Amino acid sequence: MAMPKVLKVHGLDLSYFTGKLEGYLRGKQIPYELIEMDTGDFKRCGKATGVAQMPQVEWQNGQWLSDTTLIIEFLEQLKPETSVMPQNPTLRFVAQLLEDFGDEWLWRPALYYRWAHTQDARLMSHRLAEGMMRDVPLPFFMRRWAILNRQRFHFLWLDGVRKSTAKRVEAHYLETLDALEAVLKKQPFILGQRPTLADYGLYGGMYRHFFCDPTPARIMRNRAPAVHEWVARLWNTTLVDYDNTPFPTLLPNEITPLLKIVCTEFLPYMQANEEAIANERSKFEFTSKGIQFKLPTQRYRAWRFQRLRTRYQVLDTSSQHEINTCFPELGTALNKPVTSPIQARIADLPITTPSTMTSRTW
């Protein structure tokens, strides 16, 4: 299938997942045009793909791509040169695991810092009122009030952020930042000397939220200067420059603290969400270092978790042994067979299938 001359990426330049996709497209040197969404374009894209989300990629001849994870997988197949996928099965799995972690775990602290802190919320509500809501026929102060209250309701209150949990949500960012700093002060990228999917998977939140929003950006500059430098480096990275740099073949020792967070926080969280859905519950409880969260279930996250388990279970025995030797919690969490695949409703998970780009897969 031929690549369009220029991809039309519908999104926002302050969006978590738009930033993730833009970083990857820049690295692959795939030309694209960022079409800044307003509410009308958001609805038009949702009508075309069946999902109200960003970014959405307008491909060609009325075809669309949706979901950054599957878009990247598709583009890796279409343009395999300058790949971001490690060749070693163990490293490839870890890169995919860290993409899931970046997408589904860092989302909460990223949105928390943006909307719970006055300075950040004031700035971002102003930008969204001028940008995303520019086509809404209301006075500016009403657009700003509406977006501020909507975002706080959806991304704080409905996502389990309370006085009792706020400090723990902050700690999720700080602990991840410290773990990344330990890696990136030793090497330029997450898994070694060249960028991989692990970098782009963690990039969405680290760039568009933690690097750009005032409060977490100040923390990053002071607490984790190597992470701050990595964010800028990845935005300016051209993958072809690393063609002669071999992919890593061994997990760096420095990545241990980061994978400990994945094992002790992220995987139990994903497992609790999946179990609640399997038992037809709309909410679930999750405890993070003694702090209890009450959260709505997410069918998309359950789908991601089941896909991750399947990927682990099809690894060869030596790769599984290598992972389990270093991180036995991974094998414990991922060995359970996927006996009842989660079917995401169309409102939760409409993915435009890369191979056809006209049908959907779950």
Side-chain angles (χ1 to χ4, degrees):
M1 181 175 292
M3 180 88 69
K5 290 184 178 180
V6 179
L7 295 187
K8 294 182 179 180
V9 178
H10 297 256
L12 290 176
D13 70 354
L14 50 75
S15 156
Y16 194 110
F17 290 104
T18 306
K20 173 189 173 185
L21 182 59
E22 282 192 90
Y24 172 80
L25 294 175
R26 287 171 61 89
K28 293 281 278 194
Q29 293 186 293
I30 297 174
Y32 72 95
E33 173 191 3
L34 178 62
I35 299 173
E36 288 278 323
M37 282 182 165
D38 57 18
T39 62
D41 188 54
F42 190 68
K43 292 176 182 176
R44 184 179 78 86
C45 293
K47 185 176 180 180
T49 64
V51 60
Q53 67 178 22
M54 67 174 72
Q56 308 258 25
V57 175
E58 194 171 357
W59 188 252
Q60 55 189 355
N61 302 324
Q63 299 168 324
W64 292 74
L65 297 175
S66 178
D67 189 279
T68 57
T69 297
L70 296 188
I71 292 170
I72 290 174
E73 289 176 5
F74 169 58
L75 293 175
E76 282 291 293
Q77 295 176 18
L78 192 63
K79 189 176 180 180
E81 60 272 21
T82 64
S83 176
V84 299
M85 298 301 296
Q87 297 163 345
N88 177 279
T90 301
L91 274 293
R92 183 168 59 247
F93 173 79
V94 169
Q96 293 166 332
L97 171 65
L98 290 176
E99 184 193 23
D100 285 352
F101 173 77
D103 283 357
E104 308 304 330
W105 180 253
L106 294 181
W107 172 259
R108 183 172 295 106
L111 272 293
Y112 165 81
Y113 273 97
R114 176 165 289 185
W115 298 111
H117 292 263
T118 301
Q119 180 186 15
D120 306 70
R122 183 183 296 120
L123 171 64
M124 291 303 162
S125 60
H126 186 109
R127 288 192 62 190
L128 285 169
E130 284 189 332
M132 182 75 177
M133 297 187 69
R134 63 186 181 273
D135 60 337
V136 176
L138 289 173
F140 178 79
F141 80 92
M142 293 184 68
R143 283 181 275 145
R144 186 174 180 179
W145 179 88
I147 197 67
L148 178 60
N149 284 276
R150 178 197 179 277
Q151 302 298 84
R152 282 179 165 169
F153 178 69
H154 281 278
F155 299 129
L156 299 180
W157 181 259
L158 290 184
D159 206 29
V161 177
R162 304 288 188 274
K163 286 184 178 180
S164 61
T165 62
K167 288 296 182 184
R168 189 69 203 128
V169 176
E170 290 181 0
H172 291 159
Y173 170 51
L174 300 178
E175 290 165 2
T176 303
L177 199 62
D178 291 345
L180 283 172
E181 180 72 4
V183 177
L184 293 167
K185 69 182 180 182
K186 299 285 187 178
Q187 58 194 37
F189 300 104
I190 303 297
L191 295 181
Q193 298 301 313
R194 64 177 289 166
T196 67
L197 181 67
D199 296 277
Y200 291 107
L202 290 166
Y203 196 62
M206 284 292 165
Y207 171 39
R208 282 281 160 79
H209 284 250
F210 300 131
F211 180 86
C212 293
D213 293 1
T215 299
R218 182 169 57 252
I219 294 170
M220 182 187 289
R221 288 193 301 270
N222 294 332
R223 188 176 183 129
V227 178
H228 193 268
E229 183 182 8
W230 163 80
V231 174
R233 182 187 309 121
L234 199 60
W235 184 253
N236 198 38
T237 286
T238 302
L239 289 170
V240 71
D241 293 339
Y242 294 89
D243 274 354
N244 295 323
T245 303
F247 278 109
T249 57
L250 297 173
L251 279 173
N253 292 331
E254 291 79 12
I255 207 170
T256 298
L258 181 61
L259 288 180
K260 284 291 185 184
I261 295 172
V262 172
C263 291
T264 60
E265 298 267 22
F266 173 61
L267 293 181
Y269 162 71
M270 296 288 271
Q271 191 169 14
N273 174 66
E274 182 199 24
E275 289 175 354
I277 292 172
N279 291 312
E280 299 183 347
R281 298 198 304 268
S282 61
K283 295 182 179 180
F284 70 100
E285 294 182 355
F286 168 72
T287 301
S288 174
K289 292 193 176 180
I291 303 300
Q292 187 177 69
F293 289 77
K294 294 183 179 180
L295 303 165
T297 56
Q298 297 284 344
R299 297 183 69 86
Y300 176 80
R301 286 178 183 152
W303 174 79
R304 290 282 291 259
F305 183 52
Q306 290 191 342
R307 196 169 81 135
L308 183 67
R309 294 218 310 273
T310 299
R311 282 175 165 167
Y312 171 81
Q313 290 164 21
V314 300
L315 284 172
D316 58 84
T317 304
S318 62
S319 294
Q320 289 189 7
H321 178 73
E322 183 180 359
I323 291 170
N324 295 342
T325 299
C326 298
F327 304 99
E329 304 96 332
L330 270 173
T332 301
L334 300 176
N335 256 325
K336 179 183 175 183
V338 180
T339 55
S340 300
I342 297 294
Q343 296 291 319
R345 298 189 307 273
I346 190 167
D348 297 325
L349 178 62
I351 304 296
T352 308
T353 307
S355 60
T356 64
M357 285 166 315
T358 54
S359 63
R360 296 184 176 93
T361 183
W362 314 108

